Amino acid sequence: MPSIPGSIATQGVNTDFVEIGRTLFDGDADAFAQWRTWAGELPMDGTSLMGFMIGATGAVAEITGDRLWQAFRAYARTVPAKKYGPPGIELPFIEVDNDKSGAIRNRLMGYLAKAKDGFGKPAVDFYVTNPTCIDGLPLISGSHLFDSGGSTWTNDSSTALSAAEQSVIILAMRGRLDEFGVPLGITPTHLMVAGNLEQIALDITGADRVIGITTAGNPALAGLVGSGAASGPNWAVSRGRLDVIVNQLMTAGTYAYMDLSKPDVRPIYYGIAKGFEAHVVDDPQSEPMKERSSYAYYAEGYAAFMGGIPQCIYGKDT
């Protein structure tokens, strides 16, 4: 007969799973906390993200409200929340209750370690798709709408990251005008790059970086370049002329200059309907117990993402 949940053996493992999950998912404790730097949070309305912002938009049905004088157009959009999290696992209750070596506990802690990224990885995954933004076009595009004089404008670079291209992009962002020819006051504050661009990003922004020395007395520059398969933290931030964010999950060779100085103006937005939590199903009357004599473990959260304001970003997405 299955043991009753709450016994000393079961209570220790299952309680630890929930408590450690709560610690991992609390606030910005995960390794992906930097995603909140460039993603703006909007409130959820039930299970939907309500995006209401001021920004250039196309003449589509999603436009609501009146255009503001000498400002962007009002824009509204609704995106449903989705469930995020790794697949759950089931373990025979007898193995959990008799886990004397700690192997089962370690396996469950490993599961939580895999899930600890919370909404960070979904946010990056959403960003790298170059999502549709407020004017109905990809976030990074060569034909955004409503430039000064009614023409289109670009925030898409087809050039590899370099000091020369950085100068071109900074001038382009500073020179951005609204529909009435008024400067928008945009200046990049951050440069987010794929792992293989870390070294050049630090060089061209003037950020300090630690350089190792080989046994021959030469700079060990190769060790500074990140790898997409790195097992350590997936984020690194260095400060110079621009704050450099190294994002190991971005496609190699891609980068983005962003102006994150303005409150609530971000390239993508997110809303959290329910934060990540760890759960255990160990009731004797539960389906896993009745049908398979197993405890079920899972971690999940509910969130929604949408493309934001393209004027605050300029980069290369392929």
Side-chain angles (χ1 to χ4, degrees), residues 100-295:
K100 300 298 192 296
S101 68
I104 297 297
R105 181 187 299 270
N106 290 339
R107 181 178 176 184
L108 291 173
M109 296 309 106
Y111 172 87
L112 289 176
K114 179 181 179 181
K116 76 179 186 305
D117 302 332
F119 297 116
K121 187 175 186 303
V124 177
D125 289 343
F126 179 77
Y127 166 78
V128 299
T129 65
N130 198 17
T132 300
C133 66
I134 61 175
D135 60 6
L137 295 169
L139 179 63
I140 296 178
S141 171
S143 55
H144 283 294
L145 306 174
F146 301 113
D147 194 7
S148 176
S151 60
T152 59
W153 57 278
T154 182
N155 64 352
D156 187 3
S157 173
S158 59
T159 304
L161 184 63
S162 66
E165 183 63 8
Q166 174 173 274
S167 297
V168 170
I169 290 176
I170 290 177
L171 288 175
M173 295 183 72
R174 287 177 175 173
R176 185 69 61 220
L177 306 176
D178 68 11
E179 297 176 65
F180 304 92
V182 178
L184 296 177
I186 295 175
T187 298
T189 59
H190 291 69
L191 170 59
M192 185 165 67
V193 299
N196 70 315
L197 297 180
E198 177 180 5
Q199 182 175 323
I200 186 173
L202 295 178
D203 286 343
I204 65 177
T205 60
D208 293 335
R209 57 186 173 91
V210 177
I211 301 177
I213 302 297
T214 67
T215 55
N218 300 316
L221 300 179
L224 297 177
V225 181
S227 169
S231 59
N234 286 291
W235 292 92
V237 179
S238 299
R239 299 182 182 279
R241 181 183 182 187
L242 303 172
D243 287 357
V244 175
I245 302 175
V246 180
N247 184 343
Q248 301 285 5
L249 298 181
M250 287 174 59
T251 304
T254 61
Y255 60 88
Y257 288 82
M258 297 178 286
D259 182 353
L260 305 180
S261 64
K262 299 170 177 57
D264 302 324
V265 177
R266 295 293 184 266
I268 71 169
Y269 292 93
Y270 71 95
I272 296 178
K274 184 176 179 59
F276 259 79
E277 292 181 350
H279 302 276
V280 178
V281 180
D282 57 5
D283 190 292
Q285 301 305 313
S286 65
E287 189 269 344
M289 284 291 287
K290 292 176 66 175
E291 299 296 330
R292 294 176 296 280
S293 297
S294 297
Y295 298 142

Side-chain angles (χ1 to χ4, degrees), residues 22-30 33 35-36 116 118 272 276:
R22 183 176 293 116
T23 300
L24 285 173
F25 304 139
D26 183 24
D28 292 344
D30 61 77
W35 70 274
R36 299 175 188 267
K116 76 179 186 305
I272 296 178
F276 259 79

